[in-house]
Amino acid sequence: MKKQGKRAVDNLFDFLEIIVMAMFVVVLVFTFVFRTVNVQGQSMQDTLFENDSVISKLLYTPKQGDIVVVNSSVLDNRIIKRIIAVEGQKVEIDNKSAIVKVNGAVLDESYIKCDGSFDDEYFDERYYNKESEVYEYEVPAGCCFVMGDNRNHSTDSRVIGYVPYDEIVGRVLFRFAAGNDEGVGKVD
C-alpha cells in the first residue's frame, strides 16, 4: 500500500512539473515570438473590427500587403495597418477615384472599405502633385507606407508619414473575433 501511495505522489509531482514547464514555455513564446494585441477603432474594417484580439509574430521582415502592429512614435500609440509599400517603392494615390498604385501598378484592393473616393482630410497636401492630380510618395530606406483598410476612417501614412521598420512590432497572423460575429481566423 505504501508503494502505491508513493507512486501516486510521484505521479502528481511529475504532472505538476509538466504543467509548470508548459506554462514557462508559453510565457517564453508569448514574450519573444508572439504577442496578443487588441484592435482599437474602425480603421481596419472590414478585415478587423474594434475589440478583436489578434496574435502578431515578432521578429518579422516587412512585406507589402501584410497587416502589421506598429508602435507609432508620431501618434504615441499602437496601431494596426496594412503595408502598402516598402522602402524604395513609389506610391501614387488618386483620392477622387480611390486608386492606389505602387511603382505604377494598380493595387488589387478588394479588402478596402470605401465609397469610391478618399476624403481629402486624410492627406498631407505637401505630397499632392497638381500636374498629375495625385498624391505621390517615395518610401525612404528603412521605412514603409501603411494604410488602414477603411480608408476614410484611418490615420495612416497619408497623415503621419512613413513608418520606420523599427516601429513595427510584428505581423498580424491570427484574429480572435470579439467585436463581431465573424469568428476566429487567419488574417491574410
Side-chain angles (χ1 to χ4, degrees):
M1 287 286 199
K2 279 188 171 185
K3 285 185 179 181
Q4 287 179 342
K6 185 175 182 332
R7 187 175 300 147
V9 169
D10 286 345
N11 286 341
L12 178 63
F13 279 123
D14 287 345
F15 179 74
L16 290 174
E17 183 180 7
I18 290 169
I19 295 296
V20 168
M21 289 301 291
M23 288 173 43
F24 180 72
V25 168
V26 167
V27 167
L28 281 177
V29 166
F30 277 92
T31 300
F32 296 108
V33 181
F34 298 103
R35 179 144 304 146
T36 59
V37 179
N38 215 20
V39 176
Q40 298 175 353
Q42 58 183 333
S43 73
M44 287 301 294
Q45 287 179 354
D46 284 339
T47 306
L48 299 172
F49 293 86
E50 184 151 18
N51 297 323
D52 281 356
S53 292
V54 297
I55 292 180
S56 67
K57 177 183 177 196
L58 307 176
L59 306 172
Y60 155 78
T61 303
K63 293 183 183 75
Q64 185 179 10
D66 288 346
I67 298 173
V68 293
V69 178
V70 176
N71 274 335
S72 173
S73 61
V74 174
L75 297 173
D76 195 28
N77 198 6
R78 186 172 282 174
I79 60 175
I80 299 175
K81 304 294 178 192
R82 186 180 300 271
I83 296 178
I84 300 301
V86 294
E87 62 185 356
Q89 292 184 310
K90 184 178 180 183
V91 179
E92 297 174 56
I93 303 173
D94 183 339
N95 66 315
K96 291 176 182 34
S97 66
I99 292 176
V100 177
K101 294 180 182 179
V102 175
N103 291 340
V106 175
L107 292 184
D108 176 17
E109 297 187 296
S110 57
Y111 48 79
I112 70 168
K113 184 174 184 175
C114 169
D115 61 5
S117 66
F118 300 145
D119 293 342
D120 287 331
E121 70 183 274
Y122 291 98
F123 289 90
D124 183 335
E125 289 299 317
R126 293 179 295 170
Y127 296 98
Y128 187 71
N129 181 327
K130 291 179 183 174
E131 286 182 29
S132 62
E133 297 184 343
V134 299
Y135 291 87
E136 297 177 345
Y137 307 84
E138 200 158 323
V139 185
C143 294
C144 60
F145 188 91
V146 299
M147 294 175 78
D149 290 357
N150 189 358
R151 298 287 161 81
N152 287 328
H153 298 282
S154 178
T155 302
D156 50 40
S157 286
R158 297 171 293 170
V159 176
I160 65 171
Y162 308 107
V163 172
Y165 288 158
D166 63 3
E167 290 187 6
I168 295 176
V169 176
R171 176 177 176 240
V172 173
L173 298 174
F174 204 75
R175 167 179 60 112
F176 298 94
N180 67 47
D181 58 2
E182 293 282 325
V184 175
K186 183 178 177 194
V187 176
D188 294 324

